[in-house]
């Protein structure tokens, strides 16, 4: 019986030592022989917009609300017909605002103001200038835009993310080389969002304040290059954070 009693702690001791010697796993996924390196990088991609979006409408005045509204209905009907004749599909014209109000100040005090604004999407950017010309020729006197867009904005953003990751990888390789180490694996990738032109690309950081549209009277609008809309290039800029595990060479 005494021998049996002494054998119990002898068997238990190796188990206790093994438990004390095992390290808890690192929640970041780094092994004991590795070093964590966290890198932030940005990437860009340029894409030519292929769509144009603008808002256009008519504003009328009258001695009564009924007179202003009647004139506005007639003018907006002519505007819509002109847009459709210029090749804008009906599904790409959407009413945004219909307003009527009594004016209580200025030279028109006591009159009524009626307005109707529509949003127009031109899916072939080469036809955008013709659509604007058709609208103004039909009597449009209020306009904002254009906002130049891409049919597939995600493709441009993905190209920028690929560039951002490649930049992060190159930076990590430079750090590793300086430390006499090499990259063993990627532990974590975080999308930090970015911008595509004036539009925010969702990510892990809060978006900037929204930009307010600028509406101007067409008569006062200065059109560059004779009124021709120039699509140019839209730059997508994004950021990523990548955690790498480094090991000794």
């Amino acid at each position: 019986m005494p021998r049996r009693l002494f054998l119990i702690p002898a068997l238990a001791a190796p188990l206790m030592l093994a438990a004390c010697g095992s390290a808890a796993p690192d929640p970041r996924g780094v092994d004991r022989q590795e070093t964590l390196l966290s890198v932030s990088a940005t990437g860009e991609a340029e894409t030519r917009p292929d769509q144009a979006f603008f808002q256009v409408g008519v504003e009328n005045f009258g001695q009564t609300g009924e007179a202003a509204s009647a004139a506005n209905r007639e003018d907006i009907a002519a505007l819509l017909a002109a847009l459709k004749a210029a090749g804008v599909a009906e599904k790409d014209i959407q009413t945004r605002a219909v307003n009527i109000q009594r004016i209580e100040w200025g030279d028109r005090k006591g009159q009524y103001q009626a307005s109707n604004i529509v949003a127009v999407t031109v899916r072939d950017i080469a036809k955008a200038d013709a659509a604007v010309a058709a609208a103004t020729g039909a009597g449009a006197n209020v306009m904002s835009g254009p906002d130049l867009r891409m049919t597939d904005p995600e493709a441009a953003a993905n190209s920028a993310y690929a560039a951002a990751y490649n930049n992060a990888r190159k930076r990590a390789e430079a750090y590793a080389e300086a430390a006499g180490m090499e990259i063993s694996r990627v532990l974590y990738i975080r999308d930090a969002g970015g911008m595509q032109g004036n539009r925010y690309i969702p990510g892990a950081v809060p978006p900037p304040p929204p930009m307010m549209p600028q509406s101007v009277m067409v008569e006062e609008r200065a059109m560059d290059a004779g009124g021709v809309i120039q699509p140019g290039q839209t730059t997508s800029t994004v950021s990523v954070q990548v955690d790498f595990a480094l090991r000794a060479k």
Side-chain angles (χ1 to χ4, degrees), residues 52-125:
F53 173 89
F54 61 91
Q55 296 190 64
V56 64
V58 289
E59 184 179 70
N60 301 85
F61 298 90
Q63 295 300 322
T64 66
E66 183 179 356
S69 181
N72 190 253
R73 285 196 301 271
E74 182 178 346
D75 287 352
I76 195 65
L79 172 60
L80 297 177
L83 287 171
K84 294 173 184 177
V88 181
E90 185 174 354
K91 67 183 181 67
D92 292 327
I93 304 174
Q94 184 181 59
T95 299
R96 285 298 175 90
V98 178
N99 295 307
I100 184 168
Q101 62 180 345
R102 178 183 169 88
I103 302 174
E104 301 296 343
W105 61 89
D107 296 339
R108 295 183 181 273
K109 183 176 180 180
Q111 295 185 19
Y112 287 80
Q113 177 190 40
S115 62
N116 192 319
I117 309 297
V118 295
V120 180
T121 300
V122 182
R123 300 188 183 276
D124 181 355
I125 201 165

Side-chain angles (χ1 to χ4, degrees), residues 137-162:
N141 54 17
V142 179
M143 178 177 291
S144 65
D147 177 16
L148 304 183
R149 303 176 174 181
M150 290 165 287
T151 303
D152 187 7
E154 194 68 20
N158 289 342
S159 296
Y161 277 117

Side-chain angles (χ1 to χ4, degrees), residues 168-243:
R169 180 95 188 185
K170 291 177 182 178
R171 187 171 298 177
E173 290 171 350
Y175 277 117
E177 181 67 24
M181 308 181 78
E182 63 183 3
I183 297 175
S184 59
R185 55 203 176 99
V186 176
L187 301 174
Y188 173 79
I189 301 175
R190 180 171 68 93
D191 174 3
M195 295 293 293
Q196 190 170 76
N198 291 328
R199 284 182 290 279
Y200 172 70
I201 300 176
V205 295
M211 296 187 66
M212 298 301 294
Q214 295 181 344
S215 299
V216 297
M217 299 299 294
V218 171
E219 296 90 346
E220 301 172 358
R221 186 179 180 85
M223 302 293 284
D224 294 334
V228 178
I229 294 175
Q230 303 293 318
Q233 296 283 338
T234 294
T235 301
S236 300
T237 304
V238 301
S239 300
V240 296
Q241 179 182 330
V242 186
D243 287 355

